[in-house]
Amino acid sequence: MAKDEPPKDEGGRRVGVPSTALFTDQYELTMLRAALRAGTAGRRSVFEVFTRRLPEGRRYGVVAGTGRVLDAVENFRFDEDVLGFLREREIVDGETLDWLADYRFGGDIWGYREGEVYFPGSPILRVEGSFAECVLLETVILSILNHDSAIAAAASRMSAAAGGRPLIEMGARRTHELAAVAASRAAYVGGFDTTSDLAAGFRYGIPTVGTSAHAFTLLHDNERDAFQAQVDALGSGTTLLVDTYDVAEAVRTAVDVAGPELGAVRIDSGDLLLVAHRVRQQLDELGAVNTRIVVTSDLDEYAIASLAAAPVDAYGVGTQLVTGSGNPTCSMVYKLVARAHSGDPGAPLHAVAKKAVGGKTSIGGRKWAARRVDAEGYAEAEVVGTGPVPADLLDRQLLVELVKGGEVVAREPLDAVRDRHVEARAALPMSAIQLSRGEPVIPTVYI
Amino acid sequence: MAKDEPPKDEGGRRVGVPSTALFTDQYELTMLRAALRAGTAGRRSVFEVFTRRLPEGRRYGVVAGTGRVLDAVENFRFDEDVLGFLREREIVDGETLDWLADYRFGGDIWGYREGEVYFPGSPILRVEGSFAECVLLETVILSILNHDSAIAAAASRMSAAAGGRPLIEMGARRTHELAAVAASRAAYVGGFDTTSDLAAGFRYGIPTVGTSAHAFTLLHDNERDAFQAQVDALGSGTTLLVDTYDVAEAVRTAVDVAGPELGAVRIDSGDLLLVAHRVRQQLDELGAVNTRIVVTSDLDEYAIASLAAAPVDAYGVGTQLVTGSGNPTCSMVYKLVARAHSGDPGAPLHAVAKKAVGGKTSIGGRKWAARRVDAEGYAEAEVVGTGPVPADLLDRQLLVELVKGGEVVAREPLDAVRDRHVEARAALPMSAIQLSRGEPVIPTVYI
């Protein structure tokens, strides 16, 4: 489903793709400047992405955006425009500018597979290399993972609630125009089937859908003219919007114009439960027994669940999806967990961690993670450790190699990611998909 | 402050700027296709952007993103890649593809000035032209206004709470990497002073700031080494982060290394009220009486207000800013409010509106808006009408011409927008800036 690998220049940077180097907080560059001057910039370092908590009441998180992270790392280059800006603003000095001009990430990245679930403390991504090359990536990596994972988590809950009925992502108008494209991708990862967003279809190959809005009905002299115009252009398999004026009259007109082979009707307002039942009965009486009912008004996972017994064939979800259904971001952080005491490439790593009294603290050390399962194969605990991996967990490890010596080694099609999420969620205890607030469905155990 | 006008090609499209044409819901194109076939695509039409309600408890909204809308309209062109995609997916037919290939918005856009405040029903933007040319712009216009206005509204509340103390936008890592750039712009409109986001500095000329994170301290063998490295590179006017280990010890070390001319210390965790008081006292005792205190941990407008009496010199705000402090989107819609009965350019406009029973309804007709003021010049009502403008409101009208016959006529520097917001907010009744939940601070009156 993903587009073919785009062309790259000799330096490995994708042709025609903008640099991601300025999706960076200024302090990454001032830290680099100071570390270069102090001679500490080359110290081998390990950074980890994790979250201290899930959004309140949520039982699992969904890793999404990893594929976008790989693209961003590949295109993290300082071209002349960017260097000129940094020079002019005096954000860094000449030595640092020279260093940036040659920048290309040459380290290693390991991480959870995209689509996998995660819990508090899960080391979702691990970035290793010199301090200098790793510290610069903090902001762009967090931007992508915090945004995309928030949307995928909401999508996953909605898809569990929909129980197999198709879900349409249609939130583009409710979020930033490019965040919308990433949101559509994340929704697909989380179980959505289609999107209204053409840019998401173009960029990621996600199937696109859409037929008409109220404006189309209002443009015409009456509802019949509008329906006729739509059926003439799009065929009787199209979806007619039936709530501009009176729903019952619109349904009658729709079947009259398109015939009983009318594809679907869409309801975008009112009491959806009640209206769906009435419309189904009316369609059946008119002989349009295969005409589907699509509902699209202010849905979230709870509204979807409440329509489980209603004669609804597909849900279109906008606002609540692209805003993460109450949690528009995750609280993932990017922390230095280990580093060498010198710039010597062979110098051993030492665990480091913030240790403020009464403040946020972290667990130092380069971590592995594995998911322990019970006798029936259901997840039982997220096990995170810094020492040797116990034998029984060796084949249950969650971190895989994504970038090796600066080369992306684990790009994959979006459909594989989507399938993985279905599997990963199905391997959690049943209570994972309860919509009510609760604790993470499995504990995180540190060993 | 805004960058110079970028170069344009012969067709008026900005050189090197990607097309915005696919930031579009598919149904815009299928409606176009059906309307072209039905012969109704050329009917003169008026679309309006408005919201039925403010986020719960909010007393005013802030118009932001207008400048970005103008850029998006200018770059809304269907190039070969895009047309190829639409052809391959069979989203539109050949006649429609030909029409799209020549697409350039040639109509008129009027709107509230960016930075202005708004209320339920305010006609924030009015787009006029043929149905075909106007309907296509729905999604991208709403994406921009819904996102940017949500962030600006949160920023405005925070800046009111900060009472003149500087505000630093530092939320890039908590939102999509390009949404972050727009969020930084919107935060600036709403009263923020600086940003950590280099891309926002590059694109919009917003002043950027940032010095170091905990990772920098952890990289070094001890805190003193880290502070020394930072001061060596950035000078004693820099901001040292003092909560990696013990705050009191860090402050002592910081002043010891940088001297009493140390620029600032940053506190990123703990009880900020308590810690700020202790640190201020300690700095004063060490003779660092001009060293400023910057706080940056999980702030929102309420936390900022609670620190009003604390010795804090600047606030850095991340998550709660870029997620709109609980309201990450607005509920702006783009509705057809009037259209001609034929494609004749001189045909008169007729008001139209959705009229579903029990559902969302709209008020039809091409609207003007004005802000009525009391004897002291404070806003008293948002007056919206479709008939002639009353004489006493003629010079208080809120809609200005932004695009005339397809040409942008009202581009302006971001600093002018920022200044306008300060003025517009100051002209509201005092209760506008109360943080507690309430009704819109002035009523919307339809005449």
Side-chain angles (χ1 to χ4, degrees):
Chain A
M1 172 128 315
K3 296 184 76 178
D4 292 338
E5 196 76 358
K8 297 183 188 176
D9 66 17
E10 287 170 11
R13 177 173 159 181
R14 294 194 179 195
V15 174
V17 177
S19 166
T20 54
L22 284 188
F23 299 140
T24 298
D25 287 318
Q26 177 164 311
Y27 75 8
E28 320 289 3
L29 295 191
T30 47
M31 285 192 278
L32 169 66
R33 173 179 176 175
L36 282 173
R37 184 174 167 138
T40 49
R43 291 186 173 189
R44 193 153 63 94
S45 297
V46 181
F47 286 82
E48 281 175 4
V49 174
F50 63 93
T51 178
R52 296 185 178 92
R53 58 186 184 282
L54 298 179
E56 205 189 326
R58 291 281 179 87
R59 295 163 191 262
Y60 62 95
V62 180
V63 177
T66 315
R68 297 210 308 119
V69 165
L70 300 180
D71 292 346
V73 170
E74 209 165 49
N75 288 293
F76 200 93
R77 308 296 176 85
F78 294 82
D79 57 28
E80 255 320 305
D81 279 358
V82 168
L83 293 171
F85 166 74
L86 298 174
R87 185 183 302 117
E88 185 193 311
R89 291 289 190 95
E90 298 179 2
I91 290 166
V92 289
D93 57 6
E95 180 193 4
T96 310
L97 284 171
D98 290 344
W99 191 93
L100 292 173
D102 293 332
Y103 180 81
R104 184 179 171 183
F105 180 71
D108 302 323
I109 302 181
W110 289 63
Y112 278 39
R113 292 175 182 87
E114 187 165 9
E116 186 51 271
V117 295
Y118 71 84
F119 300 92
S122 297
I124 291 156
L125 206 74
R126 193 175 69 208
V127 181
E128 303 192 39
S130 70
F131 176 80
E133 69 186 334
C134 296
V135 76
L136 294 188
L137 300 176
E138 175 175 30
T139 309
V140 73
I141 286 178
L142 289 178
S143 287
I144 293 172
L145 294 178
N146 272 322
H147 175 268
D148 292 15
S149 299
I151 310 305
S156 177
R157 284 162 62 85
M158 292 171 184
S159 81
R165 288 177 178 171
L167 286 163
I168 308 163
E169 185 282 303
M170 39 190 281
R173 66 189 56 194
R174 300 297 183 191
T175 186
H176 180 276
E177 65 277 19
L178 275 152
V181 184
S184 188
R185 182 185 182 281
Y188 192 72
V189 169
F192 273 58
D193 300 277
T194 53
T195 180
S196 64
D197 188 345
L198 291 172
F202 181 72
R203 176 69 187 83
Y204 296 116
I206 300 169
T208 58
V209 296
T211 53
S212 64
H214 296 111
F216 189 76
T217 299
L218 296 174
L219 169 68
H220 292 88
D221 297 342
N222 54 59
E223 205 165 43
R224 176 175 293 268
D225 281 4
F227 289 176
Q228 191 66 57
Q230 187 176 328
V231 168
D232 285 348
L234 305 175
S236 58
T238 192
T239 300
L240 293 170
L241 178 59
V242 292
D243 70 340
T244 305
Y245 308 114
D246 178 76
V247 173
E249 197 179 315
V251 170
R252 205 156 40 237
T253 307
V255 177
D256 198 35
V257 167
E261 61 272 30
L262 172 62
V265 295
R266 178 160 78 95
I267 307 164
D268 184 46
S269 56
D271 180 331
L272 296 176
L273 183 64
L274 185 70
V275 178
H277 277 290
R278 284 194 188 161
V279 168
R280 182 73 269 157
Q281 188 182 347
Q282 192 187 0
L283 286 169
D284 290 347
E285 286 168 6
L286 293 166
V289 293
N290 295 317
T291 300
R292 301 183 317 136
I293 297 176
V294 183
V295 295
T296 57
S297 183
D298 288 335
L299 297 177
D300 62 12
E301 60 268 48
Y302 304 100
I304 291 169
S306 76
L307 291 167
V312 165
D313 299 286
Y315 304 94
V317 189
T319 307
Q320 290 302 315
L321 176 68
V322 298
T323 57
S325 200
N327 295 288
T329 188
C330 306
S331 42
M332 290 184 198
V333 293
Y334 183 90
K335 292 294 175 190
L336 182 67
V337 295
R339 48 94 185 152
H341 274 290
S342 79
D344 180 352
L349 289 170
H350 294 265
V352 293
K354 179 175 186 303
K355 295 243 160 53
V357 179
K360 310 161 200 161
T361 57
S362 301
I363 296 172
R366 184 176 180 279
K367 298 174 197 72
W368 54 264
R371 192 156 298 146
R372 203 168 63 210
V373 298
D374 64 16
E376 288 170 335
Y378 286 101
E380 188 172 78
E382 191 85 339
V383 187
V384 178
T386 54
V389 183
D392 64 320
L393 293 176
L394 275 175
D395 63 347
R396 308 214 64 86
Q397 293 198 75
L398 292 161
L399 289 151
V400 299
E401 194 164 37
L402 301 171
V403 175
K404 183 175 185 166
E407 293 301 320
V408 175
V409 294
R411 205 167 257 117
E412 57 185 346
L414 204 55
D415 279 335
V417 172
R418 186 169 187 266
D419 292 345
R420 176 176 303 123
H421 178 61
V422 172
E423 276 176 44
R425 191 178 64 192
L428 293 177
M430 280 273 282
S431 57
I433 60 166
Q434 278 179 229
L435 294 181
S436 57
R437 283 166 175 258
E439 297 298 309
V441 72
I442 57 172
T444 303
V445 178
Y446 294 93
I447 63 172
Chain B
M1 171 130 313
K3 296 184 77 179
D4 291 337
E5 195 76 357
K8 297 183 187 175
D9 66 16
E10 287 170 12
R13 176 172 160 182
R14 294 194 180 195
V15 173
V17 177
S19 165
T20 54
L22 284 187
F23 299 139
T24 298
D25 287 317
Q26 177 164 311
Y27 74 9
E28 320 289 3
L29 295 191
T30 47
M31 284 192 278
L32 169 66
R33 174 180 175 173
L36 282 173
R37 185 175 168 138
T40 49
R43 291 186 175 190
R44 193 154 62 94
S45 297
V46 181
F47 285 83
E48 282 175 4
V49 174
F50 63 92
T51 179
R52 296 184 179 92
R53 58 185 183 283
L54 297 179
E56 205 189 325
R58 291 281 180 86
R59 296 164 191 261
Y60 62 97
V62 180
V63 177
T66 315
R68 298 209 307 118
V69 165
L70 300 180
D71 292 345
V73 170
E74 208 165 51
N75 288 292
F76 201 93
R77 309 294 176 86
F78 294 81
D79 57 28
E80 255 320 305
D81 279 358
V82 168
L83 293 170
F85 164 75
L86 298 174
R87 185 183 302 116
E88 186 192 314
R89 291 288 191 95
E90 298 178 2
I91 290 167
V92 290
D93 58 6
E95 179 193 6
T96 311
L97 284 171
D98 290 345
W99 192 93
L100 292 174
D102 293 331
Y103 180 79
R104 184 180 170 183
F105 180 72
D108 301 323
I109 301 181
W110 289 63
Y112 278 38
R113 293 175 183 88
E114 187 165 10
E116 187 49 271
V117 296
Y118 71 84
F119 300 93
S122 297
I124 292 157
L125 206 75
R126 192 176 70 206
V127 181
E128 302 193 38
S130 70
F131 176 80
E133 67 185 336
C134 296
V135 75
L136 294 188
L137 300 177
E138 175 177 29
T139 309
V140 73
I141 286 178
L142 289 177
S143 287
I144 293 172
L145 294 178
N146 272 322
H147 174 268
D148 292 15
S149 298
I151 310 303
S156 176
R157 284 163 62 85
M158 292 171 185
S159 80
R165 289 176 178 172
L167 285 163
I168 308 163
E169 185 282 303
M170 39 189 282
R173 66 190 55 194
R174 301 295 183 193
T175 187
H176 180 276
E177 65 276 20
L178 276 151
V181 184
S184 187
R185 181 185 182 281
Y188 191 72
V189 169
F192 273 58
D193 301 276
T194 53
T195 179
S196 65
D197 189 344
L198 291 171
F202 180 73
R203 176 70 188 82
Y204 296 115
I206 300 168
T208 58
V209 295
T211 53
S212 64
H214 296 112
F216 189 76
T217 298
L218 296 175
L219 169 68
H220 291 87
D221 298 342
N222 53 60
E223 205 164 44
R224 177 175 293 268
D225 281 6
F227 288 178
Q228 190 67 56
Q230 187 177 328
V231 169
D232 285 349
L234 305 175
S236 57
T238 192
T239 301
L240 293 170
L241 178 58
V242 292
D243 70 339
T244 304
Y245 308 115
D246 178 75
V247 173
E249 198 180 313
V251 170
R252 206 156 37 237
T253 307
V255 177
D256 198 34
V257 167
E261 61 272 30
L262 172 63
V265 295
R266 178 161 77 95
I267 307 165
D268 185 46
S269 56
D271 180 331
L272 296 176
L273 183 63
L274 186 68
V275 177
H277 276 290
R278 285 194 187 161
V279 168
R280 182 71 269 157
Q281 190 181 346
Q282 192 187 358
L283 286 168
D284 290 347
E285 285 168 6
L286 292 167
V289 294
N290 294 317
T291 300
R292 301 183 318 135
I293 296 177
V294 183
V295 297
T296 57
S297 183
D298 288 335
L299 297 177
D300 62 11
E301 60 268 48
Y302 304 100
I304 290 168
S306 76
L307 291 166
V312 166
D313 300 286
Y315 304 94
V317 189
T319 307
Q320 290 302 316
L321 175 68
V322 298
T323 58
S325 201
N327 295 287
T329 188
C330 306
S331 43
M332 290 183 198
V333 293
Y334 182 90
K335 294 293 175 191
L336 182 67
V337 295
R339 48 96 186 149
H341 275 289
S342 79
D344 180 350
L349 289 170
H350 293 265
V352 293
K354 178 176 187 303
K355 296 243 157 55
V357 178
K360 310 159 201 163
T361 57
S362 303
I363 296 171
R366 183 176 181 279
K367 298 174 197 71
W368 54 264
R371 193 157 299 147
R372 202 170 62 210
V373 297
D374 64 16
E376 288 170 338
Y378 286 101
E380 188 173 77
E382 191 85 339
V383 187
V384 178
T386 54
V389 183
D392 63 323
L393 293 176
L394 276 175
D395 63 347
R396 308 214 65 87
Q397 292 199 74
L398 292 161
L399 289 151
V400 299
E401 192 164 38
L402 301 171
V403 175
K404 183 174 183 167
E407 293 301 321
V408 174
V409 295
R411 205 167 258 118
E412 57 185 347
L414 203 54
D415 278 335
V417 172
R418 188 169 186 265
D419 292 345
R420 175 176 304 123
H421 178 60
V422 172
E423 275 176 44
R425 191 178 63 192
L428 294 177
M430 278 274 281
S431 58
I433 60 165
Q434 277 179 229
L435 294 180
S436 58
R437 283 166 176 258
E439 296 298 309
V441 73
I442 57 172
T444 303
V445 178
Y446 295 93
I447 63 172

